[in-house]
Amino acid sequence: MKMLINVPESVVPDALRGMAAAHPELSVDVERRVVVRRDAPVAGKVALVSGGGSGHEPLHGGFVGAGMLDAACPGEIFTSPVPDQMVRAAAAVDSGEGVLFIVKNYTGDVLNFNMAAELAEDEGIQVASVLVNDDVAVTDSLYTAGRRGTGATLFVEKIAGAAAEEGAPLERVEAIARRVNEASRSFGVALASCTTPAKGSPTFDLPAGELELGVGIHGEPGRERRAMMTSGEIADFAVDAVLADLQPTGPVLALVNGAGGTPLLELYGFTAEVHRVLRERDVPVARTLVGNYVTSLDMAGASVTLCQVDEELLRLWDAPVQTPGLRWGR
């Protein structure tokens, strides 16, 4: 496989050096693997910290900035960051109002963020944590006890980040983050495997003419494999899987997320089908976001995330945000 890299061992630090060069509004510690908004700590503001394995960009470093995360901790490819990174990030952004850890439900992330919370509290930093577990495809997977955390991470970081930017206290920001997670569900589909730099070949075998329904963001198996389907058929399957679990009674935010190797031309076509299914199921769509936001390196495929919203959550979603990966209203 051809990749635009130097050597596999330097992929993450090379990417962090590039992020630092492209985004002077961020403070990027390449050696210690922490990305922080340059104006942190922001006085009177609860700080949001997240992180996870690299390979899912722009998640999480690309969501650091005003209205979203205060810091992110990138691990190695598909590997959790370590507690020292998380404690360092919390210390860098804590203004005295507390820190919220946003954690995707993967075993390594959960263990390391829990340990980091204990270490940070030993240093006098008040920490709360919210677990994101929105994937309806499977329970208890290769990396996870319970449901996996996927696209809803973006909704949690954006909406809770807006609440924190407004000056809400830690308890309120935590409660809003939990509400968003509980109101969100996701389902992903893979058309082709991803390739990690270290392996240099597909991470799982997906024969030509087949697709994986319910794939995880690390290539974990989903519900089943089928012969290739049309965009409309995939939308029917994915949206119905989400709606069967979420059962919304009001409008939703819709995220049509590319896995990293699917062009926007296809994603917009898929979005049209997602909207068709929601219209047929009498589910109103308040806002739609389309693009590559929670990726799996170069995997071909997409995921659908829906979040039921009320007036408050929609207002917080629409609030200004200024990050490398998401920006509007400023």
Side-chain angles (χ1 to χ4, degrees):
M1 301 292 291
K2 296 178 181 178
M3 293 184 175
L4 194 63
I5 64 173
N6 292 315
V7 293
E9 294 77 15
S10 72
V11 167
V12 174
D14 286 349
L16 290 174
R17 289 191 297 107
M19 175 174 276
H23 298 287
E25 71 275 17
L26 302 179
S27 176
V28 181
D29 188 330
V30 176
E31 181 180 353
R32 297 189 290 184
R33 308 286 177 88
V34 176
V35 180
V36 177
R37 54 187 285 184
R38 192 168 289 280
D39 59 350
V42 179
K45 178 188 175 301
V46 170
L48 273 63
V49 175
S50 193
S54 296
H56 304 304
E57 290 73 22
L59 192 79
H60 293 273
F63 296 145
V64 174
M68 215 159 173
L69 295 177
D70 293 85
C73 310
E76 290 294 335
I77 301 293
F78 292 175
T79 302
S80 172
V82 298
D84 283 352
Q85 289 173 262
M86 301 160 186
V87 175
R88 191 173 298 116
V93 299
D94 179 36
S95 69
E97 300 298 324
V99 175
L100 179 66
F101 283 166
I102 298 173
V103 188
K104 300 190 306 301
N105 189 30
Y106 296 95
T107 302
D109 290 2
V110 172
L111 291 173
N112 287 347
F113 269 105
N114 284 345
M115 185 179 299
E118 294 177 3
L119 294 171
E121 287 173 349
D122 288 343
E123 295 185 10
I125 301 171
Q126 184 183 6
V127 175
S129 297
V130 170
L131 190 68
V132 181
N133 55 353
D134 55 303
D135 186 5
V136 303
V138 296
T139 301
D140 298 331
S141 70
L142 181 65
Y143 289 75
T144 301
R147 289 182 167 178
R148 304 175 293 211
T150 58
T153 312
L154 183 151
F155 288 154
V156 172
E157 292 177 355
K158 170 62 186 77
I159 294 173
E165 205 74 41
E166 289 181 350
L170 180 60
E171 296 79 8
R172 179 69 178 149
V173 177
E174 178 187 3
I176 287 172
R178 292 188 188 281
R179 266 176 65 198
V180 174
N181 178 64
E182 291 164 3
S184 301
R185 302 290 189 276
S186 296
F187 192 91
V189 179
L191 310 182
S193 174
C194 60
T195 301
T196 62
K199 190 171 188 288
S201 60
T203 57
F204 61 94
D205 178 43
L206 187 56
E210 294 186 7
L211 77 167
E212 181 88 31
L213 293 166
V215 71
I217 61 173
H218 308 99
E220 310 99 308
R223 289 186 178 181
E224 60 178 294
R225 289 188 176 182
R226 288 191 182 182
M228 186 59 193
M229 301 156 65
T230 66
S231 176
E233 290 168 339
I234 294 170
D236 283 321
F237 194 101
V239 174
D240 282 343
V242 169
L243 294 179
D245 198 288
L246 181 61
Q247 298 182 348
T249 57
V252 298
L253 300 175
L255 168 64
V256 178
N257 173 68
T262 302
L264 274 172
L265 182 71
E266 295 177 32
L267 289 179
Y268 277 119
F270 184 52
T271 299
E273 297 297 339
V274 168
H275 270 248
R276 172 189 58 79
V277 179
L278 291 170
R279 189 168 55 251
E280 291 173 354
R281 308 300 187 266
D282 295 319
V283 178
V285 180
R287 304 285 187 274
T288 303
L289 183 66
V290 182
N292 290 283
Y293 293 101
V294 183
T295 63
S296 304
L297 294 168
D298 59 343
M299 184 186 292
S303 61
V304 177
T305 303
L306 302 179
C307 175
Q308 180 170 315
V309 290
D310 55 19
E311 288 184 5
E312 180 186 30
L313 295 186
L314 188 58
R315 178 183 63 78
L316 292 169
W317 173 257
D318 287 341
V321 60
Q322 188 76 19
T323 71
L326 203 67
R327 58 181 66 201
W328 58 69
R330 292 175 69 92

